Amino acid sequence: MWFFFSILTALAWGGADLFYKKGSDSNDKYSHLKIVVIVGLVMGIHATGYMLYKGIYFHPFDMVKYLPVSFFYIASMTIGYVGLRYLELSISSPVQNSSGAITAILLFIFFKQDLDWVHILGVVIITVGVIGIAIVEKQEESKVMRLNNVQLDKKYQLGFMAVMFPIIYALLDGAGTFADGIYLDELKLMSEDTALLAYEYTFFICAVVAFIYLKGVKKVQFNVFKEPNKACAAILETTGQFFYVYAMSAYAIIAAPLIASYSIFSVILSRIFLKEKLTPKHYFVIAVVMIGIIVLGVADADEL
């Protein structure tokens, strides 16, 4: 089931990425905090509904227990939201999407893993494809800008801060996923439901703090009910998180790089809904990732 949950997570987060792109305003310096507010709100609502529906007993101390994981995830996501204002520049995507490979490497180094060559091959193929799709995206973007004689503002050009956003994101997200693998898969420190509720309620608290800061301190005009793209992204983000904890609890070292392939689904969805065309390079790299996914799917079927 880890394979099925991983695919659902990648699909949901690929869709979320599409709406994050549509809902981000490069001229709004508080755009990232607005996304945090809406994502946290949706997660808080989901956590409450899920807890009541399943009759789960949740102790607030579980948020403290799970805080190291939540911190890495929430910090990386916030950094990623800031980086959305810099999508025009450089090599951010390939660096960000390397977080799944970082997690797999860390788990392999620090914990004894029983991996056969089929799983290793699948992970390698997917990781290469994820990096490849990001490079192709960057090349196509640069080509379009040259054809249209577009001059980038200095703040969008490749530089120290531009490169630091995706690097910090990858490191934080990789560390968070590594910690999640320890909590849910290696040491079984808590159940999937408890981890999910702890993370979502922690994100909700962050959302409340961000909202108070925006409205009370900065006096920013912001209506959470008039942000449809951010709301859709938040719903898909939360949906992905729901399936994610189950995938990670079952087979973290393989699930992490597989889930990182959500960027492939993001590209496909962008082309479908934004009516953009795929180049032969896009099709080739997508095919590579799909082959990797099929390899892992066959390996998972053999284990059943």
Side-chain angles (χ1 to χ4, degrees), residues 111-128:
F111 294 94
K112 183 179 180 180
Q113 299 289 334
D114 184 18
L115 294 177
D116 56 34
W117 69 269
V118 179
H119 286 104
I120 295 174
L121 177 63
V123 170
V124 171
I125 292 174
I126 289 174
T127 301
V128 170

Side-chain angles (χ1 to χ4, degrees), residues 174-192:
T177 310
F178 172 62
D180 228 354
I182 296 173
Y183 271 69
L184 299 178
D185 187 14
E186 299 296 338
L187 302 183
K188 306 292 185 181
L189 297 179
M190 60 175 55
S191 68
E192 295 92 338

Side-chain angles (χ1 to χ4, degrees), residues 199-218:
Y199 173 69
E200 291 189 338
Y201 276 130
T202 301
F203 211 127
F204 176 72
I205 292 173
C206 292
V208 171
V209 173
F211 183 79
I212 293 173
Y213 176 76
L214 287 173
K215 301 292 286 188
V217 178
K218 292 299 181 179

Side-chain angles (χ1 to χ4, degrees), residues 44-121:
I45 293 172
H46 173 263
T48 301
Y50 186 67
M51 180 177 63
L52 294 175
Y53 175 76
K54 294 200 68 175
I56 301 170
Y57 172 76
F58 178 72
H59 196 287
F61 183 75
D62 288 328
M63 288 191 290
V64 178
K65 186 177 178 181
Y66 197 65
L67 189 58
V69 182
S70 297
F71 167 78
F72 283 124
Y73 280 150
I74 296 172
S76 67
M77 290 176 68
T78 304
I79 290 292
Y81 299 151
V82 175
L84 288 174
R85 300 205 299 267
Y86 298 87
L87 283 176
E88 295 91 336
L89 52 82
S90 78
I91 52 173
S92 60
S93 290
V95 178
Q96 287 186 179
N97 292 320
S98 68
S99 61
I102 292 173
T103 301
I105 292 171
L106 289 173
L107 287 171
F108 185 80
I109 292 174
F110 290 100
F111 294 94
K112 183 179 180 180
Q113 299 289 334
D114 184 18
L115 294 177
D116 56 34
W117 69 269
V118 179
H119 286 104
I120 295 174
L121 177 63

Side-chain angles (χ1 to χ4, degrees), residues 92-291:
S92 60
S93 290
V95 178
Q96 287 186 179
N97 292 320
S98 68
S99 61
I102 292 173
T103 301
I105 292 171
L106 289 173
L107 287 171
F108 185 80
I109 292 174
F110 290 100
F111 294 94
K112 183 179 180 180
Q113 299 289 334
D114 184 18
L115 294 177
D116 56 34
W117 69 269
V118 179
H119 286 104
I120 295 174
L121 177 63
V123 170
V124 171
I125 292 174
I126 289 174
T127 301
V128 170
V130 167
I131 295 174
I133 196 65
I135 293 174
V136 170
E137 283 284 275
K138 172 56 188 170
Q139 291 175 342
E140 290 301 311
E141 181 183 66
S142 299
K143 180 180 177 181
V144 171
M145 296 182 71
R146 285 196 303 269
L147 291 174
N148 292 299
N149 295 318
V150 176
Q151 284 293 113
L152 284 178
D153 188 286
K154 288 184 178 180
K155 70 178 181 178
Y156 293 130
Q157 293 176 3
L158 182 61
F160 176 76
M161 286 305 298
V163 175
M164 287 309 296
F165 281 122
I167 289 177
I168 293 173
Y169 173 94
L171 292 175
L172 290 174
D173 188 64
T177 310
F178 172 62
D180 228 354
I182 296 173
Y183 271 69
L184 299 178
D185 187 14
E186 299 296 338
L187 302 183
K188 306 292 185 181
L189 297 179
M190 60 175 55
S191 68
E192 295 92 338
D193 286 341
T194 300
L196 178 67
L197 295 178
Y199 173 69
E200 291 189 338
Y201 276 130
T202 301
F203 211 127
F204 176 72
I205 292 173
C206 292
V208 171
V209 173
F211 183 79
I212 293 173
Y213 176 76
L214 287 173
K215 301 292 286 188
V217 178
K218 292 299 181 179
K219 310 298 182 183
V220 175
Q221 295 298 317
F222 174 47
N223 189 334
V224 295
F225 300 106
K226 294 183 178 180
E227 299 282 354
N229 287 319
K230 292 184 178 66
C232 288
I235 292 171
L236 288 168
E237 181 74 46
T238 305
T239 301
Q241 185 64 36
F242 175 79
F243 294 116
Y244 169 83
V245 295
Y246 291 98
M248 289 297 294
S249 67
Y251 208 169
I253 191 171
I254 303 299
L258 176 54
I259 291 170
S261 69
Y262 76 85
S263 58
I264 293 292
F265 297 110
S266 175
V267 169
I268 295 173
L269 292 171
S270 295
R271 296 313 183 267
I272 293 174
F273 292 103
L274 300 181
K275 307 301 180 182
E276 298 175 358
K277 293 183 179 180
L278 290 171
T279 67
K281 291 181 181 179
H282 282 108
Y283 285 114
F284 174 76
V285 180
I286 289 173
V288 169
V289 173
M290 291 303 177
I291 290 172

